[in-house]
Amino acid sequence: MGKNQTSQIRESARAIRTCSRIAERERIIQIPNILLSVKDASVAISVSTKMVRLLIASGRLKAVNLGKRMTCISLQELTDFAERQGCSVVLPSSSLLFNNDRREKKKRNTTAKPETGSVNKTAKCRMTPASEKAPEGVTHKTHYTMTEVMSKFNIKYGRLYEIRNRYQLASIHAWGTTAFRKEDVDNAIARYDEEQGKAQQEAYYTCFDIMQKYGLGKTQVRRFAETHGVRIKKAKGGRANLYLKADWEAARKKAEKTSASTKAKRT
């Protein structure tokens, strides 16, 4: 082989090496500097996340720890590892390289121009809130809401539920809640108070009132009323007794004079 042929071969080999270096440099430049999560890296090289973590622990795959549970692998490192193993890298569509829709939406929102034109402050919103909707003919003058009933008559929800079921109060859906006709509610509350003896509380004692005032037991109250002829009125559907105040006070004063068991401190 002559010198000319040898020099040509050397020049060809040198040119091939130069071209490969340039191609390698271009390849490195074209790969973007992106950090992938462990999950994206496992999908890119078709292995499990556990395998990726084992490769990182063994030092075969370099990773960057950005904080607690934030281990990332650069795309360049993953590509080099895949080439050494003779496989290719296929980036998932969920990676940051392709998932730019959310960032673009944020940019659009921040650069959005304010609406132009005059604002009609008296106009109603297109979507009327449920708290403002009511059937035709239903107004706050003709109907109570549940909150209004409990507030006006000073009752709890359980008591209102009992009255509603006992007197079969008709209800409708208005203003985003349950509403009742005022006339029906007023009549039902009046009947309930009468049955419970609340309307006669000015003229009558309840058993609890006497027990609290005179320090007596429930049986003592009943026996005293039966012995001294105190007029009794049934309440709560016959389950409770109301004692006439005038009769009770008169019987009490009489008993203080004749009975040694009646203590003056209870008066």
Side-chain angles (χ1 to χ4, degrees):
M1 184 182 295
K3 292 182 179 180
N4 293 333
Q5 290 179 349
T6 304
S7 60
Q8 289 178 359
I9 292 172
R10 288 177 180 175
E11 289 178 2
S12 299
R14 194 178 295 113
I16 291 172
R17 286 195 297 271
T18 304
C19 292
S20 61
R21 288 172 186 167
I22 293 172
E24 181 69 17
R25 192 178 302 151
E26 289 179 353
R27 186 186 67 83
I28 293 173
I29 293 171
Q30 289 174 358
I31 297 176
N33 187 16
I34 293 177
L35 295 178
L36 301 176
S37 65
V38 173
K39 183 178 179 180
D40 288 342
S42 65
V43 174
I45 58 177
S46 301
V47 297
S48 63
T49 55
K50 185 177 180 180
M51 185 62 189
V52 174
R53 297 187 187 279
L54 289 174
L55 291 172
I56 294 171
S58 63
R60 297 173 60 189
L61 185 62
K62 294 180 181 180
V64 180
N65 191 6
L66 301 178
K68 190 176 181 180
R69 296 182 180 179
M70 291 183 64
T71 303
C72 297
I73 302 99
S74 67
L75 180 58
Q76 179 66 56
E77 176 63 27
L78 189 65
T79 305
D80 294 341
F81 173 80
E83 286 186 355
R84 291 196 300 269
Q85 302 299 320
C87 60
S88 59
V89 175
V90 180
L91 290 177
S93 59
S94 61
S95 63
L96 292 175
L97 185 61
F98 300 102
N99 195 14
N100 294 326
D101 296 339
R102 190 176 298 175
R103 287 181 290 181
E104 289 178 0
K105 287 179 181 179
K106 287 183 179 180
K107 289 180 180 178
R108 292 194 201 103
N109 292 337
T110 54
T111 58
K113 295 182 180 179
E115 295 182 1
T116 58
S118 60
V119 179
N120 186 1
K121 295 182 179 180
T122 60
K124 290 187 176 180
C125 182
R126 292 180 183 177
M127 297 294 292
T128 305
S131 59
E132 298 179 8
K133 289 182 179 180
E136 187 177 355
V138 177
T139 64
H140 286 286
K141 293 182 179 180
T142 60
H143 287 73
Y144 289 128
T145 64
M146 293 183 68
T147 304
E148 290 172 348
V149 174
M150 292 187 288
S151 176
K152 181 177 180 179
F153 297 99
N154 194 24
I155 58 176
K156 299 294 180 67
Y157 175 77
R159 188 69 63 197
L160 174 58
Y161 184 79
E162 179 186 354
I163 294 171
R164 177 184 179 182
N165 290 339
R166 178 177 295 187
Y167 303 109
Q168 299 297 314
L169 289 179
S171 62
I172 59 172
H173 189 79
W175 308 297
T177 184
T178 304
F180 308 93
R181 287 182 66 241
K182 287 189 174 182
E183 184 180 354
D184 295 342
V185 173
D186 293 339
N187 293 336
I189 295 291
R191 288 177 59 189
Y192 182 80
D193 288 345
E194 184 178 357
E195 291 177 4
Q196 299 298 314
K198 292 183 179 181
Q200 291 84 21
Q201 283 188 0
E202 293 183 1
Y204 286 83
Y205 281 132
T206 64
C207 183
F208 179 77
D209 292 338
I210 297 173
M211 292 168 61
Q212 191 176 30
K213 185 175 182 179
Y214 296 103
L216 300 176
K218 188 175 182 179
T219 304
Q220 290 176 309
V221 172
R222 179 177 55 81
R223 286 180 179 175
F224 183 88
E226 292 174 354
T227 303
H228 295 82
V230 177
R231 281 175 283 184
I232 300 173
K233 187 174 183 177
K234 294 292 183 180
K236 297 185 178 180
R239 300 190 307 275
N241 293 333
L242 296 176
Y243 304 91
L244 189 65
K245 287 184 178 181
D247 290 359
W248 182 272
E249 296 296 342
R252 187 71 187 172
K253 288 179 181 179
K254 184 179 179 180
E256 288 174 6
K257 297 177 182 179
T258 59
S259 177
S261 63
T262 305
K263 297 180 180 180
K265 66 179 182 179
R266 291 177 179 172
T267 59

